[in-house]
Amino acid sequence: MSAEELARIGLFDGLSAEQRERLWTAGTEWSFDTGDVAFREGTPADFWWVLLEGSLSLGRRVGHQETELGVMSNPGQWAGGFQAWDAHGVYMATARGVLPGRMLKVPAKALGEAARAWFPFGVHLIAGLVNTVRSIEAKARQRESLVALGTLAAGLAHEINNPASAATRAVDALDRASDTLGTSLRRLAESGATPEQFVALDTLRRSLAEAGAELDPVAAADREEELSDWLVRHDVDRDWVIAPPFAAAGADVAMLDRAASGLEPGQLAPALEWMASSLAVDGLLGEIREATHRVSELIGAVRSYSQLDRALVQQTEVTEGLESTLVMLGHKLRGGISVVRDYAPDLPRVEAIPGELNQVWTNLIDNAVDAMEGSGTLWLTVRIAEPGPAGEASGVVVEVADDGPGVPEDVAAHAFEPFFTTKEVGKGTGLGLDISRRIIVERHGGEISLEPRAGGGALVRVRVPLRAAEG
């Protein structure tokens, strides 16, 4: 065949014979059969393909299925070549032969050189349009990232504020208890207490501290009132200060009787105040220990979530990322949201980029919680994927489900498209699921799909392969 064939195709109307010859010479004729693939979605669009005869199907992967976007069946229909004016251009679909035929395959570089020589103004407009669209998309994605970062920062601040505030209150109370401890100890010494009496009191105090107590609030209040009445009857001042630590430690009236049996009347008040102050110090130190441990756990969860100290691609436990994400979103899960975990045993590690997977889990869990509007059940299921053709393990499947209002078919069909959202203005950018799809499908070679959940609600299923996609 020759360049004269192009003269019979409407796409090339207006080109001179010399110009058609230049395109024909720059390209090659590619013959295809049914099932042959001309180009694949997501790969660099480094060739311009023009249909000469035959037909091809254009498909795009949505979730775990390939959806047909259209058919090239008329001579002159073209695809690709975007790198002629955009260095980052990629094919938007996969072209697969339906009826045998031929295509003209022109390198994008040669197409760009010819276009700039023949239509400089047109190429300038195309390049400007591409850059504008790319800039708008980049800014929108940046806003999505900032919104997500703001949500996580607010949640983390809320999570840390509780133990931090508890530790601060305990430290203030510890200062007062320590002061009372020293004062009461001095008064006890001035009362003429003997070493034997002090040892007996300390032994009794230690037995209380070691035994501990777990009373419900009502029982604790009743116990505190009984102890306070005993103290008043025995002329012990500051009963409102002494009784609470004893009640919290599980002391009863019989214990106070044992303490009083070995003391002179003037020694009882400082002795019981010293014991109460010691018990209060022990309790406050426990509160501070628990609060600081909680802060340490949160910091560990943040490190795990952000993967700041780890390699980019690594062997990853999917459940670890899910758990750290739940911690980061803990403020949104309190109240009416219950989390049900179903993690299969002996799950294999996957080769992945953990920080990106955590971004996916964040988007999916956040969407599920928003759909339930603060009340419902969140199911997290992790299992081994179906084995490959040779019976080998192929990956891990993660399912995030909720019992919200569900997803209509028309919404599910567009859920992974950029800027598509069902949320109110200002509450969603429509990029969460698009970003998740790119991470799972393009970055890891996996699959992601959205479907109605049996029994109501929505279910997002993600398959992460054992090995990340190359590139």
Side-chain angles (χ1 to χ4, degrees), residues 299-329:
I299 292 174
V302 172
R303 288 171 66 88
S304 174
Y305 180 86
S306 62
Q307 304 292 316
L308 290 175
D309 56 348
R310 304 188 186 183
L312 186 62
V313 178
Q314 60 182 280
Q315 293 295 317
T316 304
E317 290 185 6
V318 172
T319 54
E320 179 184 339
L322 284 169
E323 289 301 314
S324 63
T325 302
L326 289 174
V327 172
M328 298 298 292
L329 295 175

Side-chain angles (χ1 to χ4, degrees), residues 1-9 12 17 20-25 29 52 102 104:
M1 304 299 289
S2 67
E4 290 303 315
E5 183 176 359
L6 302 184
R8 298 190 294 271
I9 298 176
F12 301 98
R20 291 194 296 269
E21 182 66 34
R22 178 174 177 175
L23 287 176
W24 185 268
T25 303
E29 186 177 326
L52 301 178
R102 299 175 298 118
L104 176 62

Side-chain angles (χ1 to χ4, degrees), residues 167-182:
T168 300
R169 290 192 300 268
V171 167
D172 291 338
L174 181 62
D175 182 60
R176 294 190 297 271
S178 298
D179 184 64
T180 302
L181 180 66

Side-chain angles (χ1 to χ4, degrees), residues 8-287:
R8 298 190 294 271
I9 298 176
L11 174 66
F12 301 98
D13 288 348
L15 294 186
S16 65
E18 181 182 356
Q19 290 171 327
R20 291 194 296 269
E21 182 66 34
R22 178 174 177 175
L23 287 176
W24 185 268
T25 303
T28 55
E29 186 177 326
W30 182 74
S31 299
F32 62 89
D33 205 343
T34 302
D36 289 346
V37 175
F39 49 84
R40 293 189 181 276
E41 172 189 357
T43 59
D46 48 1
F47 284 95
W48 184 51
W49 302 77
V50 181
L51 182 66
L52 301 178
E53 62 178 350
S55 90
L56 301 100
S57 171
L58 296 177
R60 184 166 183 170
R61 183 165 290 277
V62 178
H64 62 283
Q65 295 182 339
E66 187 170 282
T67 301
E68 186 176 83
L69 301 180
V71 176
M72 295 176 64
S73 57
N74 298 320
Q77 287 184 284
W78 61 272
F82 304 123
Q83 290 197 346
W85 39 77
D86 177 14
H88 304 285
V90 297
Y91 293 114
M92 306 302 292
T94 297
R96 186 173 283 105
V98 176
L99 297 176
R102 299 175 298 118
M103 300 188 82
L104 176 62
K105 177 181 176 183
V106 181
K109 181 179 179 181
L111 175 65
E113 292 173 351
R116 279 186 287 273
W118 302 337
F119 321 108
F121 183 65
V123 172
H124 177 75
L125 289 179
I126 293 174
L129 178 61
V130 169
N131 290 332
T132 299
V133 171
R134 188 180 299 280
S135 176
I136 292 174
E137 183 178 5
K139 289 180 179 178
R141 292 187 186 280
Q142 183 181 36
R143 181 179 180 275
E144 174 78 8
S145 299
L146 290 175
V147 169
L149 180 60
T151 300
L152 293 176
L156 181 61
H158 181 83
E159 293 291 325
I160 290 181
N161 180 66
N162 289 335
S165 298
T168 300
R169 290 192 300 268
V171 167
D172 291 338
L174 181 62
D175 182 60
R176 294 190 297 271
S178 298
D179 184 64
T180 302
L181 180 66
T183 302
S184 60
L185 182 60
R186 178 173 178 172
R187 289 172 56 206
L188 182 59
E190 291 175 344
S191 71
T194 64
E196 291 77 14
Q197 289 175 314
F198 181 80
V199 169
L201 290 172
D202 187 56
T203 301
L204 190 57
R205 179 192 66 83
R206 287 178 181 275
S207 67
L208 286 173
E210 292 173 359
E214 293 185 3
L215 298 176
D216 61 76
V218 175
D222 292 341
R223 178 69 60 83
E224 186 177 325
E225 185 176 355
E226 292 175 3
L227 297 176
S228 182
D229 291 342
W230 187 97
L231 293 170
V232 171
R233 290 197 304 270
H234 289 76
D235 298 323
V236 177
D237 295 333
R238 293 164 55 85
D239 60 281
W240 64 90
V241 174
I242 297 174
F246 275 120
D252 54 16
V253 171
M255 191 282 302
L256 294 183
D257 287 334
R258 289 197 302 274
S261 64
L263 297 171
E264 300 296 330
Q267 296 172 335
L268 184 58
L272 293 181
E273 189 167 18
W274 172 78
M275 291 179 66
S277 300
S278 298
L279 292 170
V281 167
D282 291 342
L284 291 169
L285 287 175
E287 290 181 20

